[in-house]
Amino acid sequence: MMNTPSLLVLAGDGIGPEVMDQVKRIITWYGDKRDLTFDVSDDLVGGAAYDVHGTPLHDDTMAKAQEVDAVLLGAVGGPKYDVLDFNEKPERGLLRLRKEMDLFANLRPAQCFDALAEFSSLKKEIVSGLDIMIVRELTSGSYFGEPRGIFVEDGQRVGINTQRYTEAEIDRVARSAFELARKRNNRVCSMEKANVMESGVLWREVVTEVHKADYADVELSHMYADNGAMQLVRDPKQFDVIVTDNLFGDILSDCAAMLTGSLGMLPSASLGAPMENGRPKAMYEPVHGSAPDIMGKAMANPSACVLSFAMALRYSFDQGEEATRLEKAVEAVLAKGIRTADLMQADGGKPVSTSEMGDAILAELEASL
Ligand code: NAD
């Protein structure tokens, strides 16, 4: 028997605490009804941490995040904090968590619930039933490579960033993608620009080597990232798992996400190396931000945060069936036309509040027993 799994909840700023409240109700439900109890602790991140500690992430909170089985994060940021120095900004708290926990694989599912297919900018038949997973390398590449900066050369300014990947960095994220594919439809498409970038040549070589050595049962294909962007809007259902670097992943995952309609629906997971207990270091968070425009109005859609918890059930706690139960509960709520304001059509009737959306998800969970 494993010990009671531990969760650190960092609700953060803006609508973060509002959507996280609904997740907490669901966590309680799992304890009461599925005998799945979590040891939950709360702490501050982002602007909320800055207000109390003068830093967006206190060292004690960082230490706790390293100890727990998984971190659940709401959102950080807000106009109040825009004036702060770079190192004090709420987003630095988030980046510190990702960096110090070494969360190198960012999983962004792009899943289109049938009930929301009309929200996509693409034709319904192209996105209906879409279920792809983008694995983005998160701790290296152009956003971290040295040298970087703005320098003066021959009397003019030059901006420099460096795309740099080691074999080990490519190897580990490729393995994450292959492992995921085995739990899904067993296909990986790796995207880079091997036609014009040496880092892309190495990326392709290492992914191919890892595949040959340990994952020959998984179907592997390669695609140039620019073609990948075109294919994502032409025929997204051709993909199962896409693995790509930090920069291309940033762009391609946003592109894929928008195929599915609303920011309020999109979960994510960031995973690192396995800990002693075999679970990966992990942080789960909705893709959206703190939405200051709707904060305090009970309008936020909690689904992205709820679906992030479903990812935690699947990837940190080996509770795939319970994760599916929760995803299906969200889907059933939407299919009944119960929607928060972000998912209403112009003539769509009356939206429900954040907590009413939580009520409806809990009712579906209850009905699933
Ligand atoms: P945002 O994601 O907060 O909001 C964009 C738009 O989507 C807004 O109109 C908002 O009302 C809507 N929206 C977002 N989530 C929603 C939800 N769950 N339900 C209903 N509507 C939702 O992005 P932004 O406005 O560009 O940024 C606001 C703040 O959030 C900024 O300070 C930014 O730095 C920060 N931010 C944080 C994260 C994060 O914590 N991971 C991510 C993005 C932005």
Side-chain angles (χ1 to χ4, degrees), residues 15 19 73-78 82 91 94 98 263-264 285-294 299-302 342:
I15 62 166
V19 294
L73 189 129
V76 298
D82 287 349
E91 290 75 8
L94 189 56
R98 288 177 182 161
L263 260 179
E285 57 183 309
V287 167
H288 64 71
S290 59
D293 53 336
I294 57 166
M299 286 168 70
N301 182 353
D342 55 310

Side-chain angles (χ1 to χ4, degrees), residues 91-344:
E91 290 75 8
R92 301 306 297 172
L94 189 56
L95 292 179
R96 182 175 175 201
L97 283 160
R98 288 177 182 161
K99 182 94 196 142
E100 293 192 19
M101 291 169 76
D102 201 12
L103 303 174
F104 60 83
N106 182 221
L107 278 50
R108 295 258 308 249
Q111 210 174 2
C112 186
F113 294 118
D114 279 350
L116 297 183
E118 76 262 25
F119 280 90
S120 176
S121 50
L122 298 189
K123 291 192 200 104
K124 194 171 175 180
E125 61 270 23
I126 293 189
V127 291
S128 179
L130 177 75
D131 179 8
I132 61 182
M133 175 74 82
I134 301 206
V135 180
R136 165 188 171 195
E137 200 290 326
L138 201 60
T139 52
S140 186
S142 309
Y143 296 168
F144 295 95
E146 299 282 347
R148 62 182 298 164
I150 300 174
F151 306 95
V152 177
E153 270 177 33
D154 299 331
Q156 66 169 334
R157 285 171 301 161
V158 182
I160 298 179
N161 290 92
T162 303
Q163 167 82 337
R164 180 180 190 277
Y165 271 104
T166 65
E167 280 184 78
E169 287 166 343
I170 303 167
D171 182 292
R172 64 185 186 172
V173 75
R175 285 179 193 279
S176 298
F178 287 127
E179 292 288 340
L180 268 171
R182 278 184 176 158
K183 293 184 184 157
R184 295 170 46 95
N185 293 315
N186 219 31
R187 289 182 290 124
V188 169
C189 181
S190 169
M191 294 187 186
E192 28 55 17
K193 291 276 290 175
N195 48 342
V196 286
M197 295 170 76
E198 285 76 6
S199 58
V201 173
L202 182 69
W203 182 281
R204 191 174 283 219
E205 279 176 17
V206 174
V207 172
T208 305
E209 287 159 15
V210 171
H211 176 251
K212 195 169 166 214
D214 293 320
Y215 296 95
D217 56 302
V218 181
E219 191 184 315
L220 171 66
S221 58
H222 302 274
M223 201 176 266
Y224 297 137
D226 49 343
N227 184 25
M230 284 197 281
Q231 296 301 326
L232 269 175
V233 289
R234 192 187 72 84
D235 177 19
K237 283 190 251 180
Q238 69 183 283
F239 298 113
D240 178 23
V241 175
I242 293 172
V243 62
T244 189
D245 73 19
N246 202 344
L247 174 60
F248 295 139
D250 194 0
I251 297 164
L252 293 170
S253 62
D254 270 11
C255 172
M258 272 301 105
L259 300 177
T260 69
S262 167
L263 260 179
M265 294 303 303
L266 298 168
S268 80
S270 301
L271 306 180
M275 300 183 282
E276 264 177 27
N277 62 12
R279 292 176 174 138
K281 287 243 169 184
M283 182 158 79
Y284 300 88
E285 57 183 309
V287 167
H288 64 71
S290 59
D293 53 336
I294 57 166
M295 171 190 170
K297 296 183 180 165
M299 286 168 70
N301 182 353
S303 303
C305 203
V306 169
L307 294 170
S308 301
F309 176 62
M311 291 186 85
L313 288 172
R314 179 171 285 119
Y315 297 117
S316 280
F317 303 117
D318 259 334
Q319 295 286 343
E321 279 180 25
E322 296 301 337
T324 304
R325 180 194 300 280
L326 184 50
E327 287 158 357
K328 289 212 171 312
V330 173
E331 191 171 3
V333 169
L334 297 171
K336 286 183 175 163
I338 302 172
R339 316 259 166 109
T340 41
D342 55 310
L343 300 177
M344 298 307 291

